[in-house]
């Protein structure tokens, strides 16, 4: 079937400058649209002709607009997406959330990196959008004006397949809080865009109060895509390494359990441990994808150290000392475990001895390394290891050979010599309901707030 209607939304109709070919039934899988750009005679509708509203409750599979959209410019692209395009269509595209968005007004071929349609740690995972602008048909510069692709209608797809995020996915250019987008909307709609509140992923910093005053009020936090601001207020791009596949701990991943997040810095974040040994058991994790401490970039390692200092101070104020350990073995993403131990329960010497004794019982040799030594000198990247750091600064290290017990760190701390809670050695036996986890995380976040440097 060939469609020649004014618009093409959800794969049902096509514009005058679009051939949209698919098999007979609306639900048929695998339609193969073939689209081309604006004709040289300029035929087509006005740039700001409005898109039809998508079916209620359902985003569009395909949207075709005669006008371009106001997107952020991407380095190396010939189309200045910052200055061209229509704010009205940009606003509609944000609402329609098409999987493919085609435009053909600027006379140039331009393909933007795919962008996600949800806010990490705030919205449920959604599909990505791919924006493609096609050049004039038979243009002398031989720029691309045809685009052929296969697409399965979203209503026939499994949800997990639909929301998969490609490795090169970027943030939604319409909702990143950039002044570019606000100015575009002001220009097209003739209204003043309201200033966005200072938000940190899923909780509002403007209402957070810290120790001894209005902590968190009026500060501008980094955008959720990790772009910070320098002293002049200019945005500084920063990219975190993406995971090779689905990851439960990469902050930009839809698999992250946002209700467990306690604090978010620039390079690292703090999360409540799932099935924790104690109510204060937390994880310090990098925002980007790193497998171990020895793989960390210098700025990430520096912020992780800041979290360690903040947690030590926090636990000390509660009459506890903290034990940190990492297992770089059969793990995909770095998880620095931080477990508080009451000061009146045992001494640091008792904890150290418990690790040594249980390691010997399992024929493992934990060696003590200098307090100020660089772990990278002992364990090059790719080396499997187990590492412990005590509140005294003492460090224990074991280079894993084979058959390392995955729960070793928990087993030692849960033993009679330390916390005396042996039944909690396995995290799977300590799981709580989502509601219980969320309530525990909220309590910990409130208590930790006075020590949270990420709110400064």
């Amino acid at each position: 079937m060939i469609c020649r209607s004014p618009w093409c939304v959800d794969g049902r109709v096509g514009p005058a400058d679009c051939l949209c070919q698919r098999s007979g039934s609306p639900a048929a899988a695998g339609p193969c649209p073939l689209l081309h750009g604006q004709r040289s005679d300029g035929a087509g509708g006005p740039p700001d002709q409005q898109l039809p509203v998508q079916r209620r409750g359902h985003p569009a599979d395909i949207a075709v607009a005669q006008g371009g959209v106001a997107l952020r410019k991407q380095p190396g692209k010939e189309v200045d997406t910052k200055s061209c395009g229509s704010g009205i269509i940009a606003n509609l595209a944000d609402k329609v959330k098409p999987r493919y968005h085609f435009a053909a007004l600027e006379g140039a071929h331009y393909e933007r990196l795919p962008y996600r349609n949800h806010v990490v740690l705030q919205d449920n995972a959604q599909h990505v959008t791919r924006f493609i602008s096609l050049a004039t048909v038979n243009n002398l510069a031989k720029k691309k004006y045809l685009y052929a692709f296969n697409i399965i209608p979203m209503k026939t797809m499994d949800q997990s397949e639909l929301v998969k995020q490609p490795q090169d996915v970027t943030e939604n250019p319409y909702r990143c809080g950039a002044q570019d987008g606000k100015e575009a909307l002001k220009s097209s709609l003739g209204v003043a865009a309201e200033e966005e509140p200072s938000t940190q992923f899923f909780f509002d910093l403007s209402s957070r109060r810290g120790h001894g005053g209005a902590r968190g009020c009026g500060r501008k936090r980094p955008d959720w895509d990790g772009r910070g601001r320098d002293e002049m207020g200019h945005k500084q791009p920063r990219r975190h390494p993406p995971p090779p596949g689905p990851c439960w701990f990469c902050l930009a991943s839809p698999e992250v359990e946002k209700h467990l997040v306690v604090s978010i810095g620039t390079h690292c974040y703090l999360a409540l441990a799932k099935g924790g040994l104690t109510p204060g058991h937390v994880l310090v994790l990098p925002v980007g994808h790193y497998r171990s401490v020895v793989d960390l970039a210098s700025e990430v390692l520096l912020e992780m150290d800041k979290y360690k200092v903040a947690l030590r101070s926090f636990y000390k104020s509660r009459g506890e000392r903290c034990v940190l350990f990492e297992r770089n073995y059969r793990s995909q993403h770095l998880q620095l475990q931080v477990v508080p131990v009451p000061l009146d329960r045992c001494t640091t010497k008792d904890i150290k001895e418990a690790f040594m004794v249980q390691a010997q019982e399992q024929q493992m040799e934990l060696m003590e390394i200098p307090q100020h030594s660089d772990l990278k000198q002992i364990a090059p990247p790719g080396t499997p290891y187990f590492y412990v750091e005590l509140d005294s600064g003492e460090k224990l290290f074991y280079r894993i050979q084979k058959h390392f017990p995955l729960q070793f760190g928990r087993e030692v701390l849960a033993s009679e010599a330390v916390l005396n809670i042996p039944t909690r050695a396995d995290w799977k036996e300590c799981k709580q309901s989502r509601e219980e986890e969320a309530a525990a995380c909220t309590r910990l976040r409130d208590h930790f707030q006075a020590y949270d440097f990420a709110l400064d």
Side-chain angles (χ1 to χ4, degrees):
M1 172 176 138
I2 298 178
C3 306
R4 296 185 179 276
S5 302
W7 296 101
C8 175
V9 176
D10 201 19
R12 292 174 291 174
V13 293
D17 296 318
C18 167
L19 297 179
C20 190
Q21 204 167 11
R22 61 181 178 83
S23 45
S25 166
C32 182
L34 174 66
L35 297 106
H36 61 75
Q38 184 184 26
R39 296 200 301 267
S40 57
D41 59 6
D48 281 343
Q49 184 173 349
Q50 292 192 13
L51 289 169
V53 179
Q54 78 271 31
R55 290 172 296 164
R56 181 172 298 178
H58 295 279
D61 277 309
I62 302 172
V64 179
Q66 296 290 353
V69 296
L71 293 169
R72 286 185 181 179
K73 183 176 182 179
Q74 289 189 315
K77 300 295 183 182
E78 61 177 291
V79 177
D80 186 356
T81 56
K82 184 175 181 180
S83 60
C84 71
S86 164
I88 292 177
I89 293 181
N91 191 35
L92 286 168
D94 185 31
K95 301 296 187 295
V96 172
K97 298 180 177 63
R99 292 166 64 196
Y100 285 85
H101 184 173
F102 294 92
L105 186 69
E106 301 298 333
H109 169 242
Y110 168 74
E111 293 188 36
R112 191 193 188 280
L113 292 175
Y115 63 85
R116 56 170 57 91
N117 285 296
H118 65 277
V119 179
V120 174
L121 297 180
Q122 181 171 327
D123 302 330
N124 292 327
Q126 296 190 42
H127 60 274
V128 300
T129 293
R130 290 172 169 83
F131 174 81
I132 300 101
S133 177
L134 297 173
T136 304
V137 175
N138 294 326
N139 64 88
L140 296 178
K142 298 186 181 301
K143 296 177 182 178
K144 185 174 180 179
Y145 62 87
L146 292 174
Y147 191 93
F149 63 107
N150 290 316
I151 184 172
I152 300 174
M154 66 174 67
K155 65 180 180 181
T156 67
M157 291 182 65
D158 182 78
Q159 181 67 13
S160 61
E161 290 294 321
L162 179 64
V163 302
K164 277 187 176 179
Q165 308 289 297
Q167 290 191 16
D168 59 350
V169 68
T170 68
E171 306 322 319
N172 191 312
Y174 312 117
R175 291 180 289 164
C176 282
Q179 200 64 29
D180 303 347
K182 293 178 183 178
E183 293 301 324
L185 287 176
K186 288 180 184 178
S187 175
S188 297
L189 301 176
V191 296
E194 295 182 358
E195 290 296 323
E196 294 184 355
S198 299
T199 56
Q200 187 184 48
F201 291 82
F202 61 93
F203 57 95
D204 190 353
L205 288 182
S206 64
S207 62
R208 309 298 291 176
R209 295 188 178 273
H211 198 58
R215 188 180 182 87
C217 296
R219 289 185 301 274
K220 186 67 176 178
R221 289 289 299 127
D223 288 345
W224 83 271
D225 61 351
R227 292 192 175 110
R229 296 177 183 271
D230 60 20
E231 294 180 356
M232 300 300 294
H234 303 300
K235 289 195 172 182
Q236 301 298 313
R238 177 180 54 77
R239 292 183 178 272
H240 294 296
C247 179
W248 289 99
F249 301 103
C250 283
L251 196 56
S253 172
E255 286 84 8
V256 168
E257 297 195 60
K258 61 185 180 183
H259 67 287
L260 296 175
V261 176
V262 176
S263 167
I264 302 172
T266 305
H267 304 285
C268 299
Y269 71 100
L270 192 66
L272 189 69
K274 198 173 186 69
L277 271 169
T278 65
H281 183 176
V282 297
L283 308 176
V284 182
L285 308 109
V287 169
H289 192 75
Y290 296 92
R291 294 198 62 168
S292 68
V293 166
V294 298
D295 294 320
L296 293 179
S298 58
E299 65 272 14
V300 184
L301 185 59
L302 181 62
E303 186 166 272
M304 182 164 283
D305 288 339
K306 290 178 68 175
Y307 267 116
K308 288 156 64 173
V309 171
L311 286 168
R312 287 193 181 103
S313 298
F314 170 61
Y315 289 131
K316 185 177 180 180
S317 71
R318 294 156 58 98
E320 298 170 313
R321 58 170 52 90
C322 65
V323 181
L324 301 89
F325 66 89
E326 178 203 358
R327 170 176 52 82
N328 181 30
Y329 173 71
R330 293 181 61 180
S331 59
Q332 182 185 19
H333 191 111
L334 164 60
Q335 304 165 51
L336 184 62
Q337 309 265 350
V338 186
V339 180
V341 178
L343 293 173
D344 58 2
R345 179 77 193 114
C346 58
T347 65
T348 302
K349 183 178 179 181
D350 294 331
I351 298 173
K352 179 181 177 181
E353 185 177 353
F355 273 104
M356 290 294 193
V357 169
Q358 292 205 34
Q360 290 176 0
E361 290 177 354
Q362 302 196 42
Q363 298 181 340
M364 299 185 300
E365 185 180 357
L366 271 176
M367 66 175 186
E368 189 170 351
I369 59 178
Q371 294 187 19
H372 301 291
S373 61
D374 187 351
L375 196 58
K376 292 182 179 181
Q377 298 174 346
I378 302 171
T383 302
Y385 64 83
F386 177 78
Y387 168 77
V388 182
E389 189 171 333
L390 304 174
D391 64 317
S392 60
E394 296 172 281
K395 300 176 182 179
L396 307 176
F397 175 86
Y398 172 66
R399 188 187 298 270
I400 297 175
Q401 306 299 327
K402 59 180 180 178
H403 307 310
F404 183 79
L406 300 183
Q407 302 292 342
F408 179 70
R410 288 183 63 115
E411 289 171 353
V412 173
L413 295 177
S415 67
E416 184 179 354
V418 187
L419 289 169
N420 193 24
I421 46 174
T423 57
R424 299 186 67 83
D426 188 347
W427 73 272
K428 294 178 183 178
E429 302 297 325
C430 309
K431 289 194 294 186
Q432 299 175 298
S433 68
R434 186 181 181 89
E435 292 73 21
E436 291 172 329
E437 290 175 338
C441 183
T442 299
R443 289 193 298 270
L444 183 60
R445 187 187 304 135
D446 290 340
H447 293 154
F448 180 67
Q449 184 181 332
Y451 301 86
D452 190 356
F453 65 88
L455 297 180
D456 292 336

